[in-house]
């Protein structure tokens, strides 16, 4: 049986190598068509079914945009906890069509795929390889569904990837501006800051200097580090100042502070959701919420110190850890690290078979969680304890997958260095 399987995989591999791929622009066109068709289907489902296709957040965005059109604060819309830029961006939802924003999110989703193409091409100098990696995003059912349902995550995936691309190209002024905008849009990209800082000094670490000299190079920032820090901080501070003067404290509270002190006790994929649910009414619930940040902080610092020289790999690990250990985790959060995964695929010593097994295992973990979540949400059954156990199972599945990916990637890098 093993021989037959090996033959089949070798046959598929050789056949794929001989088959010419369509140009990236055609894949982008096909991906665009698929997304537009799904937007159309979503409009139909919203009209005729009780369960809506459009994400509830899209209505929140649109209501905020309506307030902006009326000259009011977007934060008059309860649960709007995003940058005012998004509300301004979606004012055509009010002026032109309710579905305008979905097309905007599709454009950013396609830009994400194209940025993946450019990063892989930069690192591996192969159009074929770059196209294959971008196809991982273009035809990913999760990314397709989330952007066509009206979720804005494609904006942040594009900003993060484009920031990474410009960092790798050492276009530091532009990269720093993009990075500042990314943090303003969603706070989580701030976890990349230490890795960028160390990476911009990485040349001094590779030189045969004495240990004391290396420490000095770390403590005394170079011109690249100073430029990046100043521009990114000024960009973030400028956007924050503009919107603070426009919308006062509600902007700071909803766009920034809420995400730090957030007490979301609704069921979600987080390992900590049931703990926070049980302690929601206790006096020290805020302290418990803050303590849950500790695993994130410790692991993020450790990963940064070990892998800062390889930014795509480092950012992927940082994002996975951040999402896994976050107090709140919903399906769209997975896009934060899935957009970085295609950048690693060319360097993973992973067979197609093993890759499919890991993908199926990942979806299985979600399925185990979604079943009791459905009964809680739609049937009104008390399945909190089952959701809690499912969150633990999914957490260990993610840990196992991450362990495999790290081992395969690091082994591949060591093999390349050895061959050189």
């Amino acid at each position: 049986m093993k021989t037959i399987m090996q033959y089949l995989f070798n046959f598929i591999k050789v056949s794929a190598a001989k088959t010419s791929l369509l140009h990236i622009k055609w894949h982008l066109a096909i991906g665009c068509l698929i997304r537009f068709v799904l937007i159309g289907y979503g409009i139909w489902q919203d009209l005729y079914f009780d369960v809506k296709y459009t994400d509830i957040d899209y209505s929140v965005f649109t209501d905020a945009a309506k307030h902006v059109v009326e000259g009011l604060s977007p934060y008059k819309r309860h649960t709007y906890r995003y940058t005012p830029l998004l509300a301004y961006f979606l004012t055509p939802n009010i002026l032109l069509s309710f579905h305008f924003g979905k097309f905007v999110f599709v454009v950013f989703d396609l830009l994400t795929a194209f940025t993946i193409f450019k990063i892989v091409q930069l690192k591996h100098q192969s159009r074929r390889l770059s196209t294959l990696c971008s196809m991982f995003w273009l035809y990913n059912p999760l990314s397709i569904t989330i952007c066509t349902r009206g979720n804005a995550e494609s904006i942040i995936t594009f900003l993060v990837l484009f920031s990474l691309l410009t960092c790798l190209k050492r276009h530091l002024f532009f990269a720093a501006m993009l990075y500042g905008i990314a943090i303003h849009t969603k706070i989580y990209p701030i976890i990349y800051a230490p890795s960028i800082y160390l990476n911009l000094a990485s040349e001094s670490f590779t030189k045969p200097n004495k240990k004391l000299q290396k420490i000095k190079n770390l403590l005394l920032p170079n011109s690249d580090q100073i430029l990046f820090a100043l521009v990114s901080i000024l960009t973030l501070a400028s956007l924050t100042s503009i919107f603070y003067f426009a919308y006062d404290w509600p902007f700071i509270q909803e766009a920034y502070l809420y995400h730090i002190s957030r007490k979301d006790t609704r069921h979600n994929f987080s390992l900590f959701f049931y703990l926070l649910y049980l302690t929601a009414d206790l006096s020290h619930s805020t302290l418990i919420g803050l303590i849950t940040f500790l695993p994130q902080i410790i692991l993020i610092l450790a990963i940064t110190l070990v892998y800062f020289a390889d930014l795509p790999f480092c950012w992927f690990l940082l994002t996975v850890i951040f999402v896994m250990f976050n107090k709140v985790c919903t399906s769209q959060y997975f896009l934060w690290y899935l957009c970085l995964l295609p950048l690693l695929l060319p360097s993973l010593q992973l067979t197609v078979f093993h890759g499919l097994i890991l993908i199926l295992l990942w979806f299985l973990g979600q399925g185990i969680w979604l079943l009791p979540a459905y009964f809680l949400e739609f049937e009104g059954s008390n399945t909190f304890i089952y959701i809690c156990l499912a969150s633990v199972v999914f957490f260990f599945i993610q840990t196992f997958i991450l362990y495999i990916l790290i081992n395969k990637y690091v082994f591949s890098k060591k093999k390349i260095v050895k061959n050189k």
Side-chain angles (χ1 to χ4, degrees):
M1 182 67 180
K2 185 179 179 181
T3 308
I4 295 172
M5 293 300 290
Q6 285 177 340
Y7 172 78
L8 284 172
F9 286 127
N10 287 333
F11 176 76
I12 293 169
K13 188 176 180 180
V14 172
S15 299
K18 291 181 179 179
T19 305
S20 60
L21 287 173
L22 289 171
H23 194 279
I24 182 63
K25 66 181 180 182
W26 292 110
H27 286 289
L28 288 169
I30 294 168
C32 182
L33 179 62
I34 292 170
R35 286 159 173 78
F36 282 3
V37 168
L38 270 176
I39 289 175
Y41 166 78
I43 294 171
W44 176 78
Q45 180 174 320
D46 290 348
L47 286 173
Y48 296 103
F49 288 82
D50 292 332
V51 178
K52 307 300 182 184
Y53 183 83
T54 300
D55 195 312
I56 187 65
D57 284 345
Y58 190 70
S59 297
V60 175
F61 303 155
T62 305
D63 290 345
K66 183 180 179 182
H67 288 312
V68 167
V69 170
E70 293 170 348
L72 303 172
S73 167
Y75 300 104
K76 285 190 173 294
R77 194 340 175 155
H78 181 60
T79 74
Y80 182 78
R81 299 183 174 105
Y82 310 89
T83 169
L85 283 175
L86 182 59
Y88 281 103
F89 232 47
L90 298 185
T91 51
N93 279 20
I94 309 302
L95 303 174
L96 297 176
S97 168
F98 173 75
H99 303 286
F100 175 86
K102 295 178 183 178
F103 292 95
V104 172
F105 300 151
V106 163
V107 169
F108 277 101
D109 206 48
L110 298 174
L111 287 172
T112 297
F114 187 67
T115 310
I116 291 170
F117 174 85
K118 299 300 288 185
I119 293 173
V120 177
Q121 192 175 50
L122 178 67
K123 288 176 67 66
H124 298 278
Q125 304 297 316
S126 169
R127 186 185 68 83
R128 177 183 177 77
L129 203 57
S130 306
T131 304
L132 285 168
C133 292
S134 64
M135 286 167 63
F136 178 89
W137 183 266
L138 274 173
Y139 302 118
N140 188 320
L142 195 63
S143 60
I144 292 171
T145 304
I146 286 176
C147 74
T148 55
R149 290 187 67 218
N151 193 286
E153 297 306 317
S154 59
I155 295 177
I156 191 62
T157 58
F158 167 70
L159 287 171
V160 166
L161 283 170
F162 206 37
S163 299
L164 177 58
L165 175 62
T166 47
C167 274
L168 293 174
K169 286 187 171 185
R170 287 301 193 257
H171 297 161
L172 297 183
F173 185 87
F174 191 37
M177 284 186 63
L178 284 167
Y179 184 62
I181 296 169
I183 297 173
H184 171 77
T185 305
K186 289 271 187 181
I187 295 178
Y188 88 87
I190 201 168
I191 64 176
Y192 307 137
S195 65
I196 298 172
Y197 181 85
L198 292 177
N199 186 268
L200 292 177
S202 58
E203 289 183 8
S204 62
F205 285 92
T206 58
K207 293 177 181 178
N209 297 329
K210 293 180 180 179
K211 185 179 287 187
L212 186 63
Q213 183 62 35
K214 289 184 177 181
I215 294 172
K216 183 180 177 182
N217 289 335
L218 174 62
L219 296 177
L220 297 176
N222 60 36
S223 57
D224 287 346
Q225 291 169 316
I226 293 171
L227 172 67
F228 193 94
L230 283 177
V231 174
S232 57
I233 291 170
L234 283 173
T235 301
L236 178 59
S238 298
L239 288 169
T240 302
S241 300
I242 290 168
F243 291 123
Y244 176 74
F245 286 122
Y247 303 116
D248 208 22
W249 186 252
F251 157 65
I252 301 293
Q253 174 60 38
E254 301 296 340
Y256 295 141
L257 298 182
Y258 168 80
H259 300 284
I260 298 172
S261 60
R262 183 177 183 179
K263 297 178 183 178
D264 195 334
T265 56
R266 292 175 298 173
H267 56 289
N268 62 79
F269 289 99
S270 173
L271 185 67
F272 301 113
F273 109 86
Y274 196 54
L275 170 67
L276 296 174
Y277 173 77
L278 293 176
T279 59
D281 296 327
L282 299 180
S283 58
H284 55 278
S285 60
T286 303
L287 178 62
I288 293 172
L290 292 174
I291 289 173
T292 60
F293 283 116
L294 283 177
Q296 283 179 317
I297 295 169
I298 293 168
L299 289 169
I300 284 169
L301 290 175
I303 288 167
T304 299
L305 290 173
V306 175
Y307 295 112
F308 67 85
D310 187 345
L311 279 185
F313 185 54
C314 186
W315 284 23
F316 172 75
L317 295 182
L318 291 173
T319 314
V320 174
I321 291 298
F322 180 84
V323 172
M324 282 177 60
F325 285 89
N326 205 40
K327 295 188 293 187
V328 179
C329 179
T330 57
S331 294
Q332 55 262 38
Y333 285 32
F334 300 143
L335 292 184
W336 298 354
Y337 61 76
L338 284 178
C339 71
L340 293 160
L341 180 58
L343 311 180
L344 314 183
L345 294 180
S347 302
L348 285 175
Q349 293 289 323
L350 203 64
T351 64
V352 175
F353 177 73
H354 290 143
L356 289 173
I357 291 296
L358 293 181
I359 291 171
L360 289 173
L361 194 60
W362 187 72
F363 277 109
L364 176 64
Q366 291 190 56
I368 292 171
W369 184 91
L370 287 168
L371 184 61
Y374 170 82
F375 281 103
L376 174 66
E377 188 75 25
F378 295 101
E379 303 295 331
S381 303
N382 184 359
T383 57
F384 276 100
I385 190 66
Y386 299 105
I387 295 173
C388 176
L389 292 172
S391 297
V392 174
V393 170
F394 186 46
F395 176 83
F396 281 107
I397 287 174
Q398 291 179 93
T399 303
F400 172 74
I401 293 172
L402 190 60
Y403 170 79
I404 297 295
L405 292 179
I406 291 172
N407 273 276
K408 294 294 183 181
Y409 188 88
V410 172
F411 175 77
S412 170
K413 289 295 182 182
K414 286 181 178 178
K415 191 175 179 181
I416 291 170
V417 172
K418 188 177 179 181
N419 290 336
K420 287 182 178 180

